[in-house]
Amino acid sequence: MRQINIGLLGCGTVGTGVARMLTENRDLIAARLGAVLNLTRVADLEPDRDRGVALPAGVMVADAHRVVAEPGIDIIVEMIGGEGIARELILSAIENGRHVVTANKALLAAHGNALFQAAAAKGVDLFFEASVGGCMPVIKTLREALVGNRILAMTGILNGTCNYILSKITDEGSRFADALAKAQKEGYAEADPALDVEGRDTAHKLAIMSALAFGMEINLREVYIEGISHLTPLDIELAGQFGYRIKLLAIGKAHADAVEMRVHPTMIPFDNILSNVNGTLNAVSLTGDACGEILLYGRGAGMMPTASAVVGDLVDLARNILSGGAAGRLPGLAYQMANIRRIPVLPIEQISTHYYFRFAALDRPGVLSTIAGILGRHGISIQSVQQKGRKSDGAVPVVMLSHRAREADVQQALAEISALEVSAEKPVLIRIEDHNLVD
Ligand code: HSE
């Protein structure tokens, strides 16, 4: 049977998962592919570490540069991560005419445009299903299944670490730091957990998805990013009292001649399916003009779920090779390179949505009307108000949900309210999506 030779760079958690899947499911994959995916070489700085995968002698080496230059290797799998050596190795694999599979979302978000151009110029494919949503076929769905649709909107829970932390705080009253430590122990968190909790990992994924969905260059720089580290248990609890859960959402929306790309904690109502996606699980809702809304749900991280996506890419590439070298049959970014445009991204100030505000105001006569007056002067209309408790000497939380308002107006109004003498703390703002509120 024909063999397709694979060179794997990096044998950490996901790399080990790929090696394990290619070894344990070798016959199953061969039965489907009609060829063997042969793990020819595995490069890792710790070649002798026991990973619980039986590889033939000589497969494991320490020098990744040697693997990308080795004759006879058809596909390079980059599982090193980061933007330094991984980028160098991918570029040299492409230069050597190898197809490449990567899960490296940070690299693609920062340097993807140049990497895809290099791959196209060399006539090789660069596939990256595992970079977004682990085992969920987000990239395949956007690139292939929905190819006839205009993509109107995407909403995703794309970071297992954040979702786990928020679920633990919401459901069990855990402390932020304890929940993060547990997610790290489970192996979900990035090496630098700030990438997770500050929303940057989610933004990497949104920038990649938006390129495929909207036919735009990967544009991480203009994604609005707000993480979850500033959220308080009080707001999570109050959101619940109003019928919402708080999730870190990636939101991408198509406008007539611009797009929205934003990542921030978002209140979504209990009856929205995404609000019931808990723990380390991920989910992505995609809305197309023909298909309407579809939902993908599953494990967005971890050894075998991520390996599952990598091996899916390997089989696609192997099928192209077996059909006589059909590189470029599936355009990496879903659009032909010549049709990828630079689409303006709406600054956060120009979006318009519903808002949750929490003010910590001294409980004095007239305070509520002063706050409502400022909001009103900025064209922000209040849908409901709740004031909790009464303190003669301290601040009470006043919570308001707004009708649809423009972010720029909201920012200005909150700055004015914050400057009031009766404001005891900086006001809290949480955006609301898929609201049951009246516009
Ligand atoms: N740190 C990521 C997460 C890993 O928590 O989801 C998957 O990209």
Side-chain angles (χ1 to χ4, degrees):
M1 196 181 274
R2 170 120 188 235
Q3 288 198 352
I4 302 291
N5 293 325
I6 316 283
L8 170 64
L9 314 181
C11 205
T13 305
V14 180
T16 300
V18 172
R20 197 207 284 178
M21 196 172 215
L22 290 179
T23 307
E24 291 175 3
N25 292 0
R26 181 186 167 99
D27 294 344
L28 171 82
I29 296 166
R32 289 172 171 159
L33 174 63
V36 172
L37 290 185
N38 180 43
L39 192 53
T40 312
R41 213 64 77 203
V42 179
D44 193 275
L45 291 174
E46 296 177 275
D48 299 326
R49 186 159 58 86
D50 180 17
R51 295 169 169 86
V53 186
L55 295 173
V59 168
M60 203 77 204
V61 295
D63 184 0
H65 288 93
R66 206 187 95 189
V67 177
V68 293
E70 187 169 326
I73 291 194
D74 300 293
I75 309 172
I76 291 292
V77 180
E78 182 277 306
M79 298 281 116
I80 295 170
E83 296 174 35
I85 186 79
R87 176 164 165 244
E88 257 176 57
L89 288 164
I90 289 178
L91 281 169
S92 86
I94 291 171
E95 199 43 46
N96 290 330
R98 309 288 181 257
H99 303 290
V100 176
V101 175
T102 182
N104 195 334
K105 59 246 161 159
L107 176 65
L108 292 180
H111 302 288
N113 297 316
L115 292 173
F116 284 104
Q117 264 159 21
K122 199 71 194 175
V124 297
D125 282 322
L126 170 57
F127 277 11
F128 52 98
E129 182 63 68
S131 66
V132 178
C135 65
M136 295 189 296
V138 179
I139 302 300
K140 219 175 193 356
T141 303
L142 285 169
R143 185 166 52 200
E144 296 170 54
L146 302 187
V147 67
N149 284 256
R150 189 174 297 279
I151 304 297
L152 306 173
M154 308 182 291
T155 313
I157 295 173
L158 292 169
N159 186 274
T161 303
C162 287
N163 207 38
Y164 181 83
I165 293 171
L166 291 176
S167 301
K168 282 278 177 193
I169 299 175
T170 308
D171 298 331
E172 295 170 27
S174 303
R175 286 176 52 242
F176 186 97
D178 295 341
L180 171 61
K182 268 203 156 165
Q184 284 173 307
K185 216 169 127 207
E186 304 280 324
Y188 285 94
E190 298 299 313
D192 171 8
L195 280 173
D196 295 305
V197 298
E198 300 309 337
R200 296 208 303 280
D201 175 76
T202 303
H204 293 154
K205 294 164 181 168
L206 177 62
I208 295 169
M209 286 170 68
S210 298
L212 282 102
F214 307 130
M216 63 191 289
E217 287 181 349
I218 298 171
N219 182 352
L220 175 65
R221 220 169 25 84
E222 291 187 82
V223 178
Y224 174 80
I225 311 173
E226 207 182 290
I228 62 166
S229 58
H230 65 289
L231 283 176
T232 67
L234 176 61
D235 292 305
I236 291 173
E237 191 198 319
L238 289 169
Q241 290 177 17
F242 280 96
Y244 294 88
R245 280 177 83 100
I246 299 180
K247 296 287 181 189
L248 182 72
L249 287 194
I251 299 168
K253 289 186 186 171
H255 291 256
D257 43 21
V259 296
E260 262 178 57
M261 292 195 291
R262 48 192 169 103
V263 172
H264 51 70
T266 312
M267 283 171 40
I268 41 179
F270 292 152
D271 60 8
N272 180 313
I273 293 180
L274 289 182
S275 99
N276 296 300
V277 173
N278 292 318
T280 53
L281 284 154
N282 282 199
V284 177
S285 141
L286 302 170
T287 306
D289 61 348
C291 65
E293 186 181 9
I294 65 170
L295 191 79
L296 297 168
Y297 169 79
R299 304 216 164 275
M303 179 189 280
M304 296 319 292
T306 312
S308 162
V310 171
V311 173
D313 276 351
L314 284 173
V315 169
D316 275 348
L317 289 175
R319 286 190 167 129
N320 283 352
I321 294 168
L322 294 170
S323 335
R329 186 180 67 84
L330 293 169
L333 288 176
Y335 282 66
Q336 299 298 320
M337 289 301 275
N339 298 327
I340 294 173
R341 297 176 301 140
R342 205 168 273 177
I343 303 182
V345 180
L346 283 189
I348 192 73
E349 292 75 20
Q350 284 181 34
I351 69 139
S352 124
T353 188
H354 290 72
Y355 292 87
Y356 158 105
F357 304 126
R358 177 170 60 78
F359 305 105
L362 298 183
D363 195 5
R364 297 209 191 125
V367 167
L368 206 55
S369 70
T370 306
I371 292 174
I374 293 174
L375 291 171
R377 271 207 310 287
H378 287 276
I380 301 154
S381 168
I382 299 305
Q383 184 129 182
S384 60
V385 181
Q386 194 191 71
Q387 179 175 327
K388 282 274 180 193
R390 163 120 234 233
K391 287 189 197 154
S392 50
D393 51 348
V396 288
V398 177
V399 176
M400 296 183 178
L401 301 191
S402 80
H403 287 282
R404 184 171 291 278
R406 206 169 65 100
E407 177 98 11
D409 299 327
V410 165
Q411 300 285 4
Q412 281 168 18
L414 293 201
E416 258 182 59
I417 294 167
S418 192
L420 291 175
E421 189 233 324
V422 290
S423 270
E425 283 169 33
K426 195 166 170 268
V428 172
L429 160 172
I430 302 174
R431 300 173 191 89
I432 303 173
E433 279 290 308
D434 188 32
H435 50 82
N436 295 323
L437 305 165
V438 178
D439 268 7

